[in-house]
């Protein structure tokens, strides 16, 4: 369940990732009252039960008293959202400690992900130090639980990066999928192959066979671009199948792959014909369709 104080951005990020909102459109969202329960499909057959918990103080008494076991029992992962611009960080950490206590009591094997959110409001030159300080304070309260922190903002690629890593933890046989993707990359003579989830365009897995100095945020930037491109397509009832982009350094192919994924293949070798890469993608579809059933 996403947890955090009021106005920390829980509903906005959920709407961007799972409901195809643009960042600017989240301004019209109303505060979450009490608890909103959503069922979201991911990769077709994986159902995520999202408990979006309202952040007002009045609701916290309900979480920790009336609904404590209902919300915190059988939790696989919990996402706690800190507003970096909060006017009462001490109270935020007090609540965070209460959440960890409830998780420790009811779901001690759960993984906890902490999003230090709204980092766009912090001066760029200060973000690293401020995040490190907040991460240190978070880890001091770990209570032996598995914790991981991310610095995020709805206005850049950091939100997609964090959620991609979070949902990857829910895929049981991710190592198997990654090994097959690595083999596909090798057979295709590709520099890199990336697998995206179809609905959210979150990165599921990737394989690289080159030492090229890639942009570390390239996957999330591409996710954001494609998702925004798909929105007007959907409004005109046009289906986004894929695209091809070429420049002097590489060719990039993005194509619908399995029933629940898209694939991106990056080819830097100019002697490899476009048709060859397209044939490789087509030939791999059935294999990965069968593989996804095992994942």
């Amino acid at each position: 369940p996403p947890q955090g104080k009021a106005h920390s951005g829980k509903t906005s990020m959920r709407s961007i990732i799972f409901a195809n909102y643009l960042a600017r459109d989240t301004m019209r969202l109303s505060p979450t009252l009490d608890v909103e329960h959503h069922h979201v499909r991911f990769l077709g057959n994986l159902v995520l039960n999202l408990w979006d918990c309202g952040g007002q103080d009045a609701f916290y008494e309900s979480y920790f008293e009336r609904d404590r076991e209902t919300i915190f029992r059988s939790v696989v992962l919990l996402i706690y959202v800190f507003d970096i611009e909060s006017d009462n960080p001490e109270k935020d950490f007090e609540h965070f400690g209460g959440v960890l206590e409830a998780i420790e009591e009811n779901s001690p094997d759960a993984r906890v992900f902490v999003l230090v959110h709204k980092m766009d409001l912090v001066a760029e030159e200060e973000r690293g130090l401020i995040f490190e300080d907040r991460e240190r304070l978070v880890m001091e309260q770990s209570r032996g639980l598995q914790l991981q922190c991310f610095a995020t903002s709805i206005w850049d690629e950091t939100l997609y990066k964090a959620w991609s890593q979070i949902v990857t933890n829910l895929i049981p046989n991710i190592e198997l999928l990654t090994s097959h993707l690595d083999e596909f990359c090798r057979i295709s003579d590709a520099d890199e192959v990336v697998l995206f989830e179809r609905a959210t365009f979150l990165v599921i897995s990737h394989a690289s066979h080159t030492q090229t100095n890639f942009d570390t945020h390239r996957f999330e930037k591409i996710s954001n671009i494609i998702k925004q491109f798909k929105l007007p397509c959907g409004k005109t009832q046009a289906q986004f199948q894929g695209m091809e982009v070429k420049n002097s350094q590489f060719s990039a192919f993005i194509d619908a792959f399995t029933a629940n994924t898209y694939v991106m293949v990056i080819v830097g070798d100019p002697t490899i014909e476009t048709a060859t890469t397209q044939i490789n993608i087509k030939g791999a579809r059935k294999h990965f369709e069968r593989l996804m059933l095992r994942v």
Side-chain angles (χ1 to χ4, degrees):
Q3 283 270 352
K5 294 295 287 180
H7 312 298
S8 61
K10 301 180 298 298
T11 301
S12 293
M13 65 174 63
R14 175 180 57 77
S15 299
I16 289 171
I17 297 297
F18 295 106
N20 292 319
Y21 274 61
L22 297 177
R24 65 174 181 268
D25 295 335
T26 63
M27 301 299 183
R28 68 172 188 263
L29 292 170
S30 301
T32 303
L33 303 179
D34 204 4
V35 179
E36 292 184 5
H37 190 193
H38 302 266
H39 297 280
V40 178
R41 285 198 170 273
F42 188 79
L43 285 178
N45 56 4
L46 183 62
V47 179
L48 309 183
N49 291 309
L50 301 178
W51 296 74
D52 189 352
C53 302
Q56 289 81 359
D57 289 337
F59 300 137
Y60 284 135
E61 296 177 13
S62 167
Y63 304 157
F64 294 121
E65 294 174 14
R66 186 190 70 200
D67 297 325
R68 188 182 184 93
E69 286 194 14
T70 302
I71 293 176
F72 294 103
R73 187 179 59 235
S74 301
V75 172
V76 176
L77 63 83
L78 177 135
I79 303 166
Y80 193 94
V81 185
F82 277 106
D83 180 353
I84 197 64
E85 290 284 285
S86 171
D87 56 5
N88 197 343
E90 293 81 8
K91 193 168 187 178
D92 295 351
F93 270 98
E94 181 183 335
H95 173 259
F96 178 58
V99 168
L100 292 186
E101 180 182 316
I103 284 291
E104 185 183 31
E105 289 174 3
N106 295 279
S107 304
D109 295 327
R111 295 200 61 177
V112 178
F113 296 91
V114 176
L115 305 187
V116 182
H117 198 46
K118 300 186 181 179
M119 290 297 287
D120 56 282
L121 300 178
V122 178
E124 190 170 356
E125 64 273 10
E126 298 176 5
R127 289 175 192 170
L129 287 176
I130 288 177
F131 173 70
E132 286 176 12
D133 181 64
R134 184 57 58 91
E135 183 179 36
R136 177 182 56 79
L137 293 172
V138 165
M139 291 303 179
E140 287 175 358
Q141 296 199 45
S142 65
R143 306 180 72 95
L145 295 166
Q146 303 177 70
L147 264 69
Q148 188 172 356
C149 291
F150 297 93
T152 58
S153 166
I154 65 172
W155 299 101
D156 60 29
E157 64 279 351
T158 54
L159 185 64
Y160 276 93
K161 186 177 183 66
W163 275 89
S164 289
Q165 292 192 41
I166 289 168
V167 297
T168 298
N169 285 272
L170 295 173
I171 303 173
N173 295 320
I174 187 65
E175 293 85 3
L176 176 67
L177 179 61
T178 300
S179 68
H180 283 256
L181 204 66
D182 188 73
E183 181 67 6
F184 175 48
C185 186
R186 185 190 65 79
I187 291 171
S188 302
D189 286 325
D191 290 8
E192 190 163 51
V193 175
V194 188
L195 201 61
F196 298 94
E197 201 270 339
R198 183 178 284 250
T200 61
F201 238 83
L202 291 172
V203 176
I204 302 167
S205 182
H206 80 282
S208 299
H209 280 196
T210 181
Q211 299 301 316
T212 302
N213 188 23
F214 288 128
D215 180 346
T216 56
H217 296 298
R218 61 195 180 281
F219 303 154
E220 295 74 38
K221 289 178 179 178
I222 292 165
S223 292
N224 199 30
I225 291 168
I226 297 299
K227 204 165 182 181
Q228 292 195 42
F229 181 75
K230 286 177 66 181
L231 285 174
C233 291
K235 290 176 182 177
T236 61
Q237 296 185 333
Q239 295 296 314
F240 174 74
Q241 173 66 29
M243 62 171 62
E244 178 186 340
V245 178
K246 280 189 174 186
N247 63 21
S248 59
Q249 295 180 306
F250 66 85
S251 298
F253 303 85
I254 299 175
D255 210 343
F257 200 43
T258 70
N260 299 298
T261 65
Y262 278 86
V263 71
M264 179 175 73
V265 180
I266 306 295
V267 179
D269 185 346
T271 67
I272 298 176
E273 296 290 342
T274 295
T276 302
T277 302
Q278 291 172 335
I279 289 170
N280 286 335
I281 293 173
K282 184 177 180 180
R285 279 197 179 99
K286 286 186 179 180
H287 173 75
F288 275 87
E289 281 284 12
R290 291 192 297 268
L291 182 63
M292 294 302 290
L293 295 176
R294 297 161 61 188
V295 172

